RNA sequence: GCUGGGGUAGUGAAGCGGUCAAACACGACUGACUGUAAAUCAGUUGGCAUUCGCCUUCGGGGGUUCGAAUCCCUCCCCCAGCACCA
């Protein structure tokens, strides 16, 4: 299947500056950029564009991956409804180096060139920038952009000149990479569309040449209408230290039926044929969650490496009660320790709930207890004290609610 | 800098001297129903105690008052308009 057909089938083509998608079938050079303005790790939200970049690379495109050391110092206003606080420079630098490592690792065996826009911005003077770049942008055009108008006006929350200028910086990046590496396509999420066009326009004006831009749709949770990867259980990071393998895997297993098809297309390299077969099995017996299992296995392996997910599966068995807590060996227990709190010496259920973080306060713990939301070894309890025979082999499994991740091990 | 409007719990948004721990909506949490899904229904949603109750909150600080989210002063931040005549 041609790249253009594959991307169209997956629903990855939203906006593009070229008319004929056959443009994509002659490999050239493209770039995709990511910032690190707020954290030292990418999230699942970055995964879809990253994979799109990889799809291009696999089809023979030369990949330039940009990690925004300069742009992260400013903050992209696109997709944000409030001005962001600036992080200290050292912290941004730390985030950047962490994300560089992550991008390199996640891009797998495909070839790529990693660049950092700080390398060319740090020495660029403000006056030069205004003359070379700023002069080519029309103010009335810029202030009509949606992310600007949303922030200004009566209902707006305001926008600083710094964030307002972001688009020009990104435009400059594209121009720079065009000159330096012959990059003639920029791709990204649709929230980047305006920024990408800035680059296309700049290259046209400075070089008299046509560069192209391609955006993929933002991944939306169809059930909630929310942007993907946010809020549900907090952010899902692509860093084992921030989101454990088990949590990560569980996130994908919990995907709604309505979304699982789209996610398979976005987040895996499944072929059209295999997809059709898997989905027809899934639709016949949705309760088996075959599609979700496939998805979680593939994505977990992608992010955590081949063979990942097996430890997670063992832990899952303990949490769901398939493996009794007393038969857990020391090796599994130490793996478990990374996933859930393990504390000792509590006799009060309420104290245990609070100190493991399963309840936010004593009142909260009491509420949960009264609601029958507290489980000891899988059995709902209303007792405020642990009983001696709750402990099996010196430990018990305490859980809040039916979500298995909200568990803790209590040792005697 | 001037004039006007505004800053209320995770978000939006009421309240404008006591009956305000603060309506309502969304979100979040829990339960029922389920397929580790969605939808639906029910409960909870500052803290402590859980029996009356007590304590800390309404941008920051300081006042007035028996009593303030509500009035006054001041500072910070946001929005709009104005900034030669004005």
């Amino acid at each position: 299947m041609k790249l253009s057909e594959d991307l169209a089938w997956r629903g990855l083509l939203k906006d593009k500056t070229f008319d004929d998608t056959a443009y994509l079938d002659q490999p050239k050079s493209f770039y995709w950029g990511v910032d690190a303005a707020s954290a030292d790790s990418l999230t699942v939200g970055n995964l879809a564009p990253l994979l799109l970049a990889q799809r291009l690379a696999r089809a023979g495109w030369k990949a330039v991956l940009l990690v925004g050391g300069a742009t992260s110092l400013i903050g992209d206003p696109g997709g944000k409804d409030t001005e962001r606080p600036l992080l200290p420079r050292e912290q941004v630098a730390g985030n950047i180096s962490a994300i560089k490592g992550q991008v390199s690792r996640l891009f797998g065996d495909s070839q790529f060139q990693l660049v950092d826009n700080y390398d060319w911005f740090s020495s660029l003077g403000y006056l030069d920038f205004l003359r070379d770049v700023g002069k080519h942008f029309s103010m009335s055009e810029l202030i009509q952009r949606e992310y600007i108008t949303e922030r200004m006006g009566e209902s707006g929350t305001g926008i600083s000149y710094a964030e307002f200028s972001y688009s020009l910086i990104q435009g400059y990046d594209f121009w720079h990479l065009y000159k330096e590496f012959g990059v003639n396509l920029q791709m990204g999420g649709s929230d980047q569309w305006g920024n990408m066009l800035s680059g296309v326009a700049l290259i046209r004006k400075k070089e008299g040449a046509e560069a192209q831009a391609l955006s993929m749709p933002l991944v939306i949770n169809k059930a909630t209408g929310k942007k993907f990867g946010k809020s549900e259980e907090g952010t899902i990071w692509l860093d084992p230290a921030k989101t454990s393998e088990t949590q990560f895997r569980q996130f994908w297993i919990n995907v709604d039926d309505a979304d699982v098809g789209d996610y398979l297309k976005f987040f895996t390299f499944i072929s059209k044929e295999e997809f059709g077969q898997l989905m027809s099995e899934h639709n016949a017996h949705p309760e088996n969650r075959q599609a979700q299992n496939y998805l979680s296995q593939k994505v977990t392996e992608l992010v955590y490496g081949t063979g990942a997910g097996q430890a997670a599966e063992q832990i899952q068995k303990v949490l769901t009660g398939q493996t009794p807590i007393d038969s857990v060996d020391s090796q599994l227990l130490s793996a478990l320790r990374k996933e859930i709190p393990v504390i000792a010496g509590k006799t009060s259920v309420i104290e245990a709930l609070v100190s493991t973080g399963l309840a936010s306060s004593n009142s909260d713990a009491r509420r949960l207890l009264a609601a029958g939301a507290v489980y000891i070894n899988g059995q709902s309890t209303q007792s405020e004290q642990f009983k001696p025979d709750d402990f099996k082999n010196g430990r018990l499994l305490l859980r809040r609610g039916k979500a298995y991740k909200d568990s803790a091990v209590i040792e005697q």
Side-chain angles (χ1 to χ4, degrees), chain A residues 336-343 355-358 405-410:
Chain A
L336 204 53
R337 224 173 254 280
K338 291 179 193 147
E339 296 294 333
I340 61 172
V342 178
I343 61 163
S355 58
T356 52
L358 295 180
K405 66 186 173 56
D406 298 315
S407 297
V409 173
I410 311 297

Side-chain angles (χ1 to χ4, degrees), chain A residues 394-411:
Chain A
R395 58 176 98 102
L396 63 79
L397 192 65
L398 184 68
R399 194 176 86 217
R400 181 201 78 209
K402 48 188 174 166
Y404 304 120
K405 66 186 173 56
D406 298 315
S407 297
V409 173
I410 311 297
E411 296 182 315

Side-chain angles (χ1 to χ4, degrees), chain A residues 349 368-369 372-376 379-383 385 387 398:
Chain A
V349 175
L368 291 168
L369 209 51
V374 178
Y375 301 80
I376 293 174
Q379 294 297 308
S380 179
T381 183
Q382 306 241 347
S383 167
Q385 298 292 324
K387 299 181 191 70
L398 184 68

Side-chain angles (χ1 to χ4, degrees), chain A residues 150-391:
Chain A
E150 275 175 3
R151 294 270 290 270
M152 309 215 310
E154 303 224 12
S155 57
T157 55
I159 182 166
S160 68
Y161 182 71
E163 283 198 7
F164 175 80
S165 316
Y166 184 93
S167 188
L168 304 204
I169 304 181
Q170 190 166 326
Y172 184 93
D173 284 342
F174 195 177
W175 178 36
H176 178 87
L177 293 173
Y178 174 87
K179 289 186 296 183
E180 204 73 12
F181 297 100
V183 167
N184 42 29
L185 171 71
Q186 181 180 180
M187 52 136 289
S190 64
D191 55 336
Q192 294 296 314
W193 185 240
N195 294 337
M196 291 193 262
L197 290 183
S198 291
V200 171
L202 190 63
I203 291 169
R204 184 181 302 130
K205 283 168 181 163
K206 301 299 290 192
E207 307 293 327
E210 285 303 320
Q212 308 295 342
L214 168 68
S215 79
M216 61 167 291
L218 285 186
V219 185
I220 299 289
N221 182 323
K222 281 181 181 154
T224 61
K226 286 271 164 92
K227 216 166 135 181
F228 171 76
K230 281 283 168 192
S231 85
E232 337 222 327
E233 355 246 84
T235 307
I236 305 295
W237 304 98
L238 303 184
D239 175 356
K242 295 170 97 80
T243 297
S244 72
E245 214 173 287
T246 306
Q247 289 172 316
F248 189 83
R249 187 166 166 275
Q250 192 62 36
F251 171 79
W252 294 100
I253 285 186
N254 281 336
V255 166
D256 307 16
D257 291 349
D259 289 316
V260 73
D262 282 353
Y263 291 3
L264 282 169
K265 291 183 196 163
F266 286 176
F267 296 106
T268 74
F269 290 96
I270 192 170
S271 70
K272 193 173 179 179
E273 293 69 36
E274 202 181 348
F275 175 82
Q277 197 183 340
L278 181 62
M279 284 312 283
S280 72
E281 284 170 25
H282 180 263
N283 290 330
H285 291 284
E287 69 277 12
N288 292 341
R289 308 184 76 76
Q290 265 193 64
Q292 281 92 341
N293 276 305
Y294 180 95
L295 177 67
S296 70
Q297 191 203 325
K298 290 296 180 191
V299 183
T300 305
E301 279 191 5
L302 182 81
V303 174
Y304 289 82
T306 320
Q310 284 173 17
E313 205 172 328
Q314 274 197 308
I315 287 167
Q316 215 116 50
K317 281 190 173 155
V318 176
L319 297 183
T320 53
Q322 291 171 62
T323 303
I325 187 72
D326 50 301
S327 69
V328 169
D329 60 29
S330 62
Q331 195 190 343
L332 186 51
L333 189 69
S334 69
L336 204 53
R337 224 173 254 280
K338 291 179 193 147
E339 296 294 333
I340 61 172
V342 178
I343 61 163
K346 297 286 183 197
T347 56
S348 155
V349 175
I350 291 178
E351 269 181 51
L353 285 168
V354 173
S355 58
T356 52
L358 295 180
S360 61
S361 69
N362 289 356
S363 307
D364 189 32
R366 275 182 234 275
R367 265 181 233 121
L368 291 168
L369 209 51
V374 178
Y375 301 80
I376 293 174
N377 298 328
Q379 294 297 308
S380 179
T381 183
Q382 306 241 347
S383 167
E384 292 201 10
Q385 298 292 324
F386 293 118
K387 299 181 191 70
D389 56 345
D390 288 337
F391 291 93

